[in-house]
């Protein structure tokens, strides 16, 4: 991936197409602000992060900072305590910001009924609110469940998340997904009152809130055809194991299934019913599918057809439909017969589509887009349809000052500001939104440019074409260039805003600064007024995240993290091939055979691009 291409793609425009011409990569990052705004406790405090070192604290619901931004990581409060990271280690603070459990852990979870999971030296254990160890850190997981039980999994803890994103999933996140046959699903039950384990090892799945103290469980060693039952947190059975497959409780019901091997088909066919919150079978086994319950209704499937059942087990309308959607609230769901969507009430009657006439967007001129039979139509200010078509997709919100992309029968086109099609019917395989009176469109495998009346200003001839800072980035047979709206080659756009974005570390996190006085460019970080808080002495570095910044350490020939004091911690956290950004569906350009040197040169090229020297 080229440096200019990466920077310009940061502000990439949306493409509407059923093609592979969209932006080829996504950049993701984890920052201490990932918990920002979460009010996990009745106290109402939420995580806030910022400043040049990107440290975190807590603000109240009014936005007033009540605990200063001083922690590398600040987890949401739970039961009046919150996990925070200080100098690389986690402890817990109370609602005043006082450290009540010293920072000595590698990672911590949330307190639940007086217990919290902690990680130390790659192993999980459990502490109480006084910080006393109840379960020694000897396990892969130790998840508090209910008021007395801990779900313990043998082995060593292993984070599947990128650096800076590590967290300890609660029982719902840990058990809701994944195969019950996987070692990651095998748990024992430990009890705080007796400080001992119940006999048995179970394959667990999430059932409902831990306060109900119930889990779907299958006894380890029962094999692939072993059955699930509801296990109480004390190790006794609420309902005996009798189901092949199970789902969490939603809206008061949980789907349970039997697998029916069919000799004529190697796949397992499902016959499903539902149990209530106590595990009692309410809906008998007579439907396919494992969809969740919602609003007292459940989607079921028979082949490619879908139906809706209620809690009595009745199939609404006594039939299946081409498609169906369960109502999130109210009494009318949606079903499709052929191309038409209509309503289905709880008595099984076909009624008017409740979404018909629902406004999706409106322009000052009175033009509006509304739902009709699962699609979209345009109406003028008088309420008259501007076109006879119902569109499958419309770019929302409407581009009220220029044509809006629409899709009909799999093809893309535009409606003008009065709601009329520019060319009927739509014929493009892909389009970009109009910018400056022109839009890139794809027809018959090639890209061209149209103006707001729908006429070509450039007939399709490009292999690739996309808007780029007032012009278009084009490619023909591998040759890249930039063209204006009439196809004339022009210089690459200056990209001042893109360059400035490369050098910025968030709105209040400072910016990169360089020093060329030694004859070679060295980089550091400075505040908005130019005061350096990391002196320019590194060939490359990155912004602070979680109170740490990656710097290129030529002595070690590795990227290492420095803290807010500018010191590499002991033990040092280093990586020989740190690229500074995580990019998917793209590759970094190779600048040298040595991975460390290549990554440093890549970052330097990006920084040079930011200051306008490349």
């Amino acid at each position: 991936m080229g440096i200019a291409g990466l920077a310009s793609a940061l502000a990439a425009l949306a493409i509407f197409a059923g093609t592979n011409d969209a932006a080829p990569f996504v950049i993701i990052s984890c920052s201490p602000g990932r918990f920002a705004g979460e009010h996990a406790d009745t106290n109402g405090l939420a995580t806030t992060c910022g400043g040049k070192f990107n440290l975190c604290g807590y603000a109240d619901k009014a936005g007033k900072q009540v605990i200063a931004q001083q922690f590398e990581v600040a987890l949401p409060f739970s039961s009046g305590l919150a996990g925070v990271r200080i100098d690389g280690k986690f402890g817990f603070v109370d609602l005043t910001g006082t450290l009540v459990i010293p920072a000595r852990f590698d990672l911590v979870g949330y307190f639940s009924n007086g217990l919290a999971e902690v990680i130390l030296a790659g192993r999980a254990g459990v502490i109480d609110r006084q910080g006393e160890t109840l379960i020694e850190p000897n396990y892969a997981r130790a998840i508090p469940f209910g008021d007395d039980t801990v779900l313990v999994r043998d082995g060593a803890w292993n984070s599947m998340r990128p650096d800076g994103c590590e967290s300890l999933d609660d029982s719902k996140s840990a058990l809701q997904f994944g195969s019950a046959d996987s070692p990651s699903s095998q748990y024992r039950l430990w009890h705080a009152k007796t400080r001992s384990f119940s006999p048995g090892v179970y394959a667990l799945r999430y059932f409902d809130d831990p306060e109900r103290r119930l889990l779907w469980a299958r006894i380890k060693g029962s094999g692939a055809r072993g059955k699930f039952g509801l296990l109480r947190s004390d190790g006794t059975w609420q309902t005996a194991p009798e189901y092949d497959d199970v789902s969490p409780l939603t809206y008061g019901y949980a789907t349970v299934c039997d697998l029916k091997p069919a000799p004529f088909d190697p796949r397992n066919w499902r016959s499903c019913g539902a149990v209530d919150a106590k595990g009692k079978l309410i809906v008998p086994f007579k439907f396919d599918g494992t969809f969740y319950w919602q609003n007292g209704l459940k989607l079921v499937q028979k082949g490619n057809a879908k139906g809706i059942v209620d809690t009595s087990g009745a199939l609404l309308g006594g039939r299946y439909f081409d498609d169906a959607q369960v109502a999130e609230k109210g009494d009318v769901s949606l079903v499709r017969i052929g191309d038409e969507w209509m309503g289905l009430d709880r008595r099984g009657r076909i009624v008017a589509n409740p979404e018909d006439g629902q406004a999706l967007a409106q322009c000052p001129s009175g033009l509006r887009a509304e739902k009709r039979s699962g699609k979209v139509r345009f109406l003028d200010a008088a309420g008259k349809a501007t076109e006879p078509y119902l569109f499958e997709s419309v770019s929302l919100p409407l581009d009220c000052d220029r044509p809006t992309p629409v899709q009909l029968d799999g093809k893309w086109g535009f409606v003008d500001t009065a709601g009329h099609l520019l060319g009927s019917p739509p014929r493009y395989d892909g389009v970009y939104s109009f910018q400056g009176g022109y839009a890139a469109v794809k027809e018959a495998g090639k890209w061209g440019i149209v103006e707001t009346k729908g006429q070509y200003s450039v007939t399709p001839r490009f292999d690739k074409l996309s808007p780029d800072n007032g012009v278009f980035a084009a490619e023909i047979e591998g040759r890249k260039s930039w063209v204006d709206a009439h196809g004339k080659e022009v210089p690459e756009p200056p990209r001042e805003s893109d360059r400035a974005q490369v050098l910025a570390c968030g709105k209040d996190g400072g910016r990169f600064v360089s020093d060329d006085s030694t004859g070679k460019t060295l980089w550091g970080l400075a505040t908005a007024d130019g005061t350096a808080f990391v002196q320019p002495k590194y060939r490359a570095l990155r912004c602070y995240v979680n109170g740490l910044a990656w710097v290129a350490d030529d002595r070690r020939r590795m990227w290492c993290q420095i803290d807010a004091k500018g010191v590499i911690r002991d033990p040092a956290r280093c990586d020989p091939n740190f690229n500074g950004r995580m990019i998917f569906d793209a590759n970094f350009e190779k600048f040298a055979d040595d991975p460390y040197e290549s990554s440093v040169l890549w970052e330097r090229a990006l920084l040079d691009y930011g200051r306008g020297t490349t």
Side-chain angles (χ1 to χ4, degrees):
M1 159 138 323
I3 297 299
L6 171 61
S8 63
L10 292 172
L13 302 170
I15 181 176
F16 303 93
T19 69
N20 293 321
D21 296 295
F25 63 92
V26 177
I27 297 178
I28 68 169
S29 66
C30 275
S31 74
R34 65 189 183 278
F35 301 109
E38 290 190 15
H39 295 276
D41 208 335
T42 54
N43 61 79
L45 296 186
T47 300
T48 66
C49 305
K52 60 186 181 182
F53 299 117
N54 215 343
L55 297 173
C56 300
Y58 297 91
D60 61 19
K61 290 182 178 179
K64 180 183 177 181
Q65 196 75 33
V66 295
I67 299 176
Q69 293 177 342
Q70 57 188 300
F71 308 114
E72 294 170 351
V73 175
L75 302 178
F77 272 91
S78 178
S79 301
L81 297 176
V84 297
R85 196 177 80 190
I86 303 171
D87 294 334
K89 294 293 184 180
F90 279 89
F92 286 88
V93 295
D94 63 16
L95 295 172
T96 69
T98 302
L99 190 68
V100 294
I101 297 178
R104 57 189 177 91
F105 305 105
D106 299 325
L107 190 63
V108 297
Y110 304 109
F111 268 97
S112 175
N113 290 298
L115 304 177
E117 184 177 16
V118 296
I119 301 294
L120 192 60
R123 300 277 178 164
V126 170
I127 61 172
D128 62 17
R129 291 178 64 88
Q130 287 70 48
E132 297 298 323
T133 300
L134 299 184
I135 299 180
E136 291 292 337
N138 291 322
Y139 304 98
R141 291 301 309 270
I143 307 170
F145 187 84
D147 62 350
D148 177 63
T149 304
V150 177
L151 311 180
V152 175
R153 177 160 58 86
D154 291 330
W157 179 77
N158 180 37
S159 175
M160 301 302 292
R161 295 183 173 91
D163 179 64
C165 303
E166 303 94 335
S167 64
L168 290 172
D169 292 333
D170 60 13
S171 59
K172 182 175 183 179
S173 300
L175 303 179
Q176 190 163 6
F177 304 104
S179 170
D181 298 312
S182 167
S184 64
S185 300
Q186 311 294 320
Y187 289 85
R188 293 185 289 158
L189 306 184
W190 184 90
H191 307 287
K193 292 178 181 177
T194 62
R195 301 209 173 191
S196 63
F197 287 96
S198 291
V201 178
Y202 305 94
L204 298 181
R205 284 189 183 174
Y206 186 77
F207 178 68
D208 195 21
D209 188 285
E211 297 306 317
R212 288 189 185 271
R213 306 172 193 172
L214 292 174
L215 290 158
W216 286 121
R218 189 172 76 187
I219 299 173
K220 182 182 179 182
S222 56
R225 298 290 295 166
K227 305 289 185 176
F228 281 96
L230 272 181
L231 185 70
R232 301 187 187 98
S233 62
D234 64 4
T236 62
W237 293 101
Q238 172 89 357
T239 62
E242 56 181 317
Y243 306 118
D244 291 323
D245 200 7
V246 292
S247 70
L249 193 76
T250 56
Y251 292 87
Y253 299 91
T255 298
V256 292
C257 299
D258 282 340
L259 304 183
K260 305 294 184 182
F264 55 85
D265 192 322
R267 295 175 299 174
N268 284 327
W269 296 95
R270 298 172 185 266
S271 176
C272 299
V275 299
D276 63 14
K278 294 182 179 179
K280 181 181 178 181
L281 188 67
I282 301 297
V283 178
F285 283 81
K286 58 180 181 178
F287 298 106
D288 294 341
T290 57
F291 300 100
Y292 293 119
W293 286 86
Q294 178 174 272
N295 192 23
L297 301 169
K298 177 178 180 290
L299 199 64
V300 295
Q301 191 164 343
K302 185 177 182 180
N304 293 324
K306 294 179 181 178
I308 298 173
V309 300
D310 62 19
T311 55
S312 71
L315 182 66
L316 299 189
R319 59 163 293 183
Y320 289 86
F321 301 89
D322 295 315
D323 203 352
Q325 297 177 9
V326 171
E328 294 184 6
K329 58 183 179 179
D331 295 325
V332 181
S333 297
L334 295 177
V335 294
R336 180 170 61 82
I337 301 176
D339 291 332
E340 186 176 357
W341 284 90
M342 54 200 72
L344 181 71
D345 68 15
R346 291 182 187 269
R347 296 174 63 183
R349 298 175 302 182
I350 296 295
V351 297
N353 186 328
E355 293 186 344
D356 282 354
Q358 179 182 335
L360 297 173
Q362 184 165 337
C363 292
S365 66
L367 177 69
R368 70 179 186 270
E370 70 171 27
K371 284 190 175 182
R372 179 65 57 178
S373 191
K375 298 183 180 180
V376 182
R377 72 171 179 174
F378 286 88
L379 303 176
D380 61 20
K384 182 180 179 181
T386 60
E387 289 286 347
Y389 305 112
L390 296 178
F391 298 98
E392 295 132 34
S393 184
V394 174
S395 172
L396 297 174
L398 299 177
D399 296 329
C400 295
D401 59 345
R402 57 192 186 276
T404 295
V406 295
Q407 188 182 36
L408 180 66
D409 295 331
K411 294 290 186 178
W412 286 92
F414 299 92
V415 295
D416 62 20
T417 55
H420 299 296
L421 276 169
L422 299 182
S424 181
R427 65 182 190 272
Y428 305 121
D429 300 315
V431 300
Y432 280 92
S433 293
F434 271 88
Q435 299 277 320
Y438 295 90
V441 299
K442 187 177 186 180
E443 186 174 10
K446 296 292 183 180
W447 286 87
I449 303 173
V450 295
E451 43 80 48
T452 55
K453 298 297 183 182
Q455 301 299 314
Y456 275 113
S457 63
V458 179
T459 56
R461 67 172 187 263
F462 299 103
D463 298 325
K464 295 181 180 179
L465 191 70
S466 60
D468 185 0
N469 288 268
V471 295
F472 293 87
E475 183 174 331
I476 297 179
E477 295 181 350
R479 180 179 177 270
K480 299 179 180 180
S481 64
W482 286 265
V483 299
D484 64 16
H486 300 283
K488 179 183 177 181
E489 286 199 18
V490 295
E492 180 181 355
R495 310 185 190 283
E496 285 87 354
S497 61
D498 293 338
R499 293 179 187 273
Q501 184 178 355
V502 167
L503 294 182
C505 290
K507 63 180 181 180
D508 60 354
R511 64 190 306 274
F512 292 97
V513 292
S514 58
D515 182 1
D516 301 307
S517 62
T518 62
K520 61 181 180 179
T521 303
L522 297 176
W523 290 91
L525 293 168
T527 57
D529 64 5
T531 302
F533 57 92
V534 175
Q535 295 298 322
K537 60 180 180 179
Y538 299 102
R539 285 204 297 150
L541 76 163
R542 294 301 308 140
C543 299
Y544 273 90
V545 176
N546 298 98
L548 299 169
W550 289 95
V551 299
D553 186 339
D554 283 345
R555 183 178 64 83
R556 289 182 172 89
R557 302 294 295 171
M558 300 181 81
W559 287 86
C560 297
Q561 287 184 321
I562 59 172
D563 61 18
K565 302 180 184 70
V567 176
I568 296 176
R569 288 177 174 166
D570 185 18
R573 189 168 190 176
C574 299
D575 189 330
N577 188 24
F578 176 74
N579 288 106
R581 291 165 173 78
M582 290 173 286
I583 300 180
F584 295 92
D585 296 332
N587 293 317
F588 288 95
E589 290 174 301
K590 184 178 180 180
F591 284 79
D593 290 334
D594 175 62
Y596 167 75
E597 187 64 20
S598 183
S599 63
V600 170
L601 293 177
W602 196 96
E603 283 293 325
R604 286 177 63 82
L606 183 61
L607 293 170
D608 284 341
Y609 172 83
R611 68 172 183 165
T613 58
T614 59

